[in-house]
Amino acid sequence: MMKKTVVGLGEVLWDMLPDGRQIGGAPANFAFHAGQWGHRAYVVSAVGTDPLGEEALSLLQAKGLSTIIPHTPYPTGTVAVTLTEGGIPHYDICQGVAWDHIPFTSAMEELATHTDAVCFGSLAQRSAESRSTIYRFVDTMPNTEDTLKVFDINLRQTYYSAEVIEQSLTRCNIVKLNDEELPVVTRLFALRGGSAEAQCQALIRRFGLRLVILTCGTLGSYVYGAGTASFVATPQVQVADTVGAGDSFTGSFVAALLNGQSVGQAHQLAVRVSAYVCSQHGAMPEVQGRV
């Protein structure tokens, strides 16, 4: 099996959970889980020149991740996370932090030229500087049939706009969203169809996408291609918390595709991994040999 280069691009931050802080950010979570299946995993972001930034870099590297994470004169990102009964997280995301100011460096440009898969979201695009870096990175990547450009919509608070979502949709070939985000996207782009499947198929046609991944919590998940659909039920587990579960799904799904598995096989693996992550505390538990 040939190792591929997988990049999580965007926010790196500390989730300030009730029982202590955990390193997080969707791109880092994605890269960690993709890397567990044999790929070279990179995190591209920014941190501050503060103890939290140094600790973040050390911890990411200790988890086997490669990093291109410049220091900036802004504080390292933090998020206050509260968990509802059932482990569902709610986020209060600090503004004006390092990952709002990710510079596009020569090292990032070089990495982009041989990246096989990237995952980026809408949150890190709330600032013009990081948004420009994300677009330049994705636009520098190879445009081959095998290159995967994943837009995990990840709508948080009010940190998104129709323009940001549209610009991202034109740059990706796989979209991931959940059942709360689909109605927002359907309204923003006036997608036709009364069912979730019809709306996802309309999204595929509108933006020439390869796949749309729709996760519906305990109600299962779907992967739609042009005229195709895969459904996998969500396993019942004792939930510790759901922080990072969606990112583990995306990372495992992408890794499986890069390893030559079918969409259906990749979907099955992604569901098993995300269910296991829900049963553990934190977003980056080791999953090899456990799913």
Side-chain angles (χ1 to χ4, degrees):
M1 180 174 58
M2 184 181 295
K3 275 191 176 186
K4 302 293 180 70
T5 298
V6 182
V7 174
L9 173 60
E11 66 273 15
V12 159
L13 48 83
W14 287 97
D15 287 321
M16 301 305 201
L17 292 153
D19 57 352
R21 66 174 182 258
Q22 299 260 9
I23 192 67
N29 298 337
F30 163 85
F32 173 78
H33 286 286
Q36 290 199 85
W37 304 101
H39 301 295
R40 289 182 295 269
Y42 284 80
V43 182
V44 173
S45 186
V47 294
T49 56
D50 49 27
L52 283 180
E54 295 309 312
E55 189 178 346
L57 292 176
S58 296
L59 190 52
L60 291 172
Q61 289 160 6
K63 288 183 173 290
L65 293 163
S66 298
T67 59
I68 299 180
I69 302 181
H71 291 87
T72 72
Y74 299 90
T76 299
T78 57
V79 176
V81 184
T82 53
L83 300 175
T84 65
E85 192 173 337
I88 307 300
H90 291 271
Y91 304 96
D92 184 13
I93 305 166
C94 293
Q95 298 190 63
V97 294
W99 57 260
D100 286 316
H101 301 276
I102 306 170
F104 189 67
T105 66
S106 57
M108 292 179 192
E109 184 172 24
E110 197 279 328
L111 175 63
T113 63
H114 62 267
T115 293
D116 298 291
V118 69
C119 186
F120 63 101
S122 60
L123 179 57
Q125 297 186 56
R126 69 182 183 179
S127 71
E129 186 173 358
S130 292
R131 184 164 62 248
S132 172
T133 293
I134 289 168
Y135 293 167
R136 288 180 69 183
F137 189 99
V138 175
D139 292 347
T140 304
M141 286 174 59
N143 254 332
T144 72
E145 196 174 306
D146 299 325
T147 304
L148 304 179
K149 301 177 182 181
V150 184
F151 176 39
D152 185 348
I153 288 184
N154 231 350
L155 302 181
R156 293 282 183 257
Q157 296 174 207
T158 58
Y159 301 132
Y160 63 90
S161 67
E163 182 182 2
V164 161
I165 294 173
E166 185 168 22
Q167 284 292 322
S168 301
L169 288 169
T170 63
R171 286 175 161 85
C172 72
N173 52 25
I174 298 176
V175 168
K176 179 181 174 290
L177 72 174
N178 63 35
D179 52 353
E180 294 180 351
E181 293 162 341
L182 179 60
V184 177
V185 173
T186 295
R187 184 177 68 252
L188 288 176
F189 298 104
L191 300 177
R192 293 183 176 180
S195 68
E197 179 171 6
Q199 291 158 4
C200 289
Q201 291 291 350
L203 197 60
I204 288 171
R205 290 192 298 273
R206 170 82 70 88
F207 293 99
L209 303 171
R210 188 179 305 177
L211 298 171
V212 171
I213 300 166
L214 175 66
T215 58
C216 304
T218 58
L219 300 178
S221 58
Y222 300 81
V223 180
Y224 297 108
T228 67
S230 167
F231 171 77
V232 178
T234 301
Q236 287 191 333
V237 297
Q238 181 86 30
V239 175
D241 66 59
T242 63
V243 177
D247 307 323
S248 72
F249 183 114
T250 314
S252 303
F253 182 84
V254 166
L257 291 184
L258 292 175
N259 286 335
Q261 295 187 34
S262 68
V263 168
Q265 290 169 326
H267 191 182
Q268 291 278 357
L269 176 66
V271 168
R272 293 198 305 271
V273 170
S274 60
Y276 178 75
V277 170
C278 286
S279 75
Q280 306 296 303
H281 288 288
M284 299 186 190
E286 300 284 342
V287 300
Q288 282 280 18
R290 297 176 172 87
V291 298

